[in-house]
Amino acid sequence: MPPKLTAFHSQVNVQRQVKIPMRDRIHLTADIYRPKNVDMSLPVLLMRLPYGRAIASTCTYAHPSWYASQGYIVVIQDVRGCGTSEGEFYPLRNEYEDGFDTVEWCANQLEGSNGKVGMYGFSYQGVTQFQAAVMQPQGLVTICPSMATADLYHGWFYFGGAVCLDFDLGWALQLAQNRAWYLKKEPQASLLFAAQKQMAKWLESVPLSSIELFKNQEFGDFGSFFFDWIGNQQADDPYWQKLNPLSYFDRFDLPALHIGGWADIFIEATINTYHHAQKVTRKPQHLVVAPWQHLPWLPKIGEIDFGEAAVSHIDRLQVDWFDFWLKGIENGISDRAPVQLFLMGKNHWLDLPEFPKDSHTQNFYLSCQKQLSQSPNRNHQLPDIYVYDPRNPNPSTPYGFYNQCHLHQRWDVLVYQSEILEEDLAIAGVPEFILYAATSVPDTDWVVKLLDIYPDGKQMLVSMGVLRAKFRKAWTKPEWVEPDTVHEYRIQLRPTCQNFALGHRIGIAIASSAFPIIERHSNTQKIPSSATVSDFVEATQQIFYGSDHPSHLKLPIK
């Protein structure tokens, strides 16, 4: 007997905990929302998530009942091992086959379905869309992935070859606590809940590979996948190749609406995936990027309010997208600019034919007296020097528009600034920093921040880039550094779209840590996450500039 259809509100009915069979006879559960008093078959909108059906990404989107009221059957499903779904949970591992089976069920067996399915959701729910799409299930017409990726190594679990510590550990703990909570396991659910309130303690754990949080039987083994994340430290490790939708992108062939946020930690991964999608299919790939952080999507991000233009319009945009692709409604969506970017500082939208690339660039060169100059210094200059101590790593704010001044009142960071801008300077695309540097150790990290320096001295973070030194030539062929030898490092910063205002300065900060955004590097040949405190080595870092080694910032001018 199907679940009872109950009234959710005046326009929508909901069936709760509907069982959907998978190929291995495991059942995953879903809540299904339907508009009332509709006698015709309708297309289906599907979201698959590990956080519980009731949440349904309402921290970023309108409630599923709103989407149903727009003329859709909306299916919100707990992934395997989460909520009331059966089976064992392992992050993202089962979403290929389960996504395929769920889409085909929605297209062919769901009562009232017209056979056309669209998917939406952000973060994990975005990755599940790519994983389902590469399986090419019957009925999947289009997807709307937000703040998601098809490459889980670059820009998701790792930044520039360094473990994204704050995210990796925090997310592992969240997923572990959720799993214990779903299973009603005590004391594990309570202990993991308490551990979430003590994140600062766990982030300081050394070494990460032995962190008690996921080793001690008192906590259970709910988060043991964390050790897989930090233990597979190269992009070509089989672990990532199997998990990444990008490995199967030759089978991606759907129109997609990609959504990102300039202050989202995954912005690099989002933009890279959009580019990969463009390469493998001729189906339309649209991109919308607002100033938002990962969640919630509000106009005020960090310390800056971007105004009314930054209010989220994604719910309406997604319905327009689905109306066109799933219902055939000619609403002009195909005539809109395929790329819409929010220009921060001017606080308005840019309509573009493509994401800016190979555009005009303007260089700013490191110079003496901690200056950034638009002309390279023709003279030989002595390097600037700082010492990075892993026992006391340079701290970080959350990624986003936060004043960095208090972080830069230290010995282990160098800040360079341009002359006062005599006119606005707008950039859009991927900034790059060409660094000439020497280190006293065989491996270390380089962290570069792009700053908007205000007339009152505030240093607002605009973008940042990370590069682990051994990956300077290739992600798949690490090469140790010859100590005290100058090497070139090409460091891509995260994509951005920013106006530097008249009267401001452009700033660059160079350090060897951003803790806890990335793990601390021990400055040795040991995997950083396995190094003990006794393994830590201080690194003397020399930053070169001048005629022989012109370290410089390349800005993509809008």
Side-chain angles (χ1 to χ4, degrees), residues 14-282:
V14 60
Q15 290 173 281
R16 300 201 183 278
Q17 209 164 320
V18 177
K19 292 185 177 182
I20 301 175
M22 300 293 105
R23 64 189 67 186
D24 60 355
R25 299 184 181 181
I26 288 290
H27 287 85
L28 308 186
T29 53
D31 291 342
I32 301 177
Y33 299 81
R34 303 172 183 270
K36 289 183 178 180
N37 304 316
V38 176
D39 296 328
M40 60 186 295
S41 59
L42 296 172
V44 179
L45 302 184
L46 170 65
M47 178 189 293
R48 308 188 62 249
L49 75 167
Y51 306 115
R53 302 184 312 277
I55 293 175
S57 291
T58 50
C59 52
T60 53
Y61 300 113
H63 193 271
S65 60
W66 181 85
Y67 280 88
S69 72
Q70 308 304 305
Y72 291 92
I73 301 172
V74 182
V75 178
I76 309 295
Q77 183 190 58
D78 289 323
V79 300
R80 180 178 296 245
C82 294
T84 55
S85 287
E86 299 168 353
E88 291 298 317
F89 174 70
Y90 188 99
L92 299 166
R93 179 171 287 172
N94 299 298
E95 312 309 354
Y96 290 101
E97 292 183 350
D98 288 352
F100 177 93
D101 293 349
T102 302
V103 169
E104 292 226 327
W105 183 88
C106 289
N108 301 318
Q109 299 183 49
L110 175 60
E111 181 183 357
S113 168
N114 71 358
K116 294 182 178 181
V117 180
M119 296 183 72
Y120 76 109
F122 87 115
S123 198
Y124 191 108
Q125 298 83 273
V127 181
T128 64
Q129 295 175 57
F130 291 121
Q131 291 177 301
V134 298
M135 298 294 287
Q136 298 183 330
Q138 180 184 356
L140 185 58
V141 175
T142 187
I143 60 175
C144 289
S146 298
M147 299 182 178
T149 186
D151 182 351
L152 292 159
Y153 179 88
H154 289 293
W156 191 274
F157 287 107
Y158 285 77
F159 294 156
V163 168
C164 177
L165 178 59
D166 195 15
F167 166 69
D168 290 8
L169 182 59
W171 196 42
L173 182 52
Q174 178 188 11
L175 293 174
Q177 201 282 326
N178 280 355
R179 177 68 173 156
W181 179 56
Y182 296 144
L183 295 176
K184 309 301 181 187
K185 285 281 190 176
E186 289 293 353
Q188 291 89 347
S190 293
L191 289 172
L192 290 167
F193 180 75
Q196 288 180 294
K197 312 301 180 185
Q198 300 174 319
M199 266 295 291
K201 166 191 172 183
W202 298 108
L203 287 167
E204 292 285 352
S205 298
V206 176
L208 287 173
S209 58
S210 300
I211 188 170
E212 180 187 12
L213 182 60
F214 301 128
K215 293 267 187 180
N216 191 324
Q217 287 302 307
E218 188 178 23
F219 291 97
D221 62 353
F222 294 110
S224 59
F225 39 76
F226 173 76
F227 300 110
D228 294 334
W229 298 346
I230 67 171
N232 290 277
Q233 296 226 335
Q234 284 193 200
D236 59 342
D237 284 345
Y239 178 83
W240 302 115
Q241 297 308 305
K242 187 174 181 180
L243 209 60
N244 281 345
L246 190 62
S247 300
Y248 317 101
F249 242 40
D250 59 328
R251 303 198 299 251
F252 180 83
D253 192 29
L254 293 175
L257 173 61
H258 305 257
I259 299 163
W262 297 128
D264 177 36
I265 59 170
F266 305 133
I267 181 59
E268 178 183 12
T270 299
I271 300 298
N272 287 346
T273 299
Y274 161 75
H275 288 315
H276 285 301
Q278 282 188 307
K279 292 176 182 177
V280 297
T281 179
R282 293 186 176 182

Side-chain angles (χ1 to χ4, degrees), residues 415 480 485:
V415 179
W480 302 119
T485 301

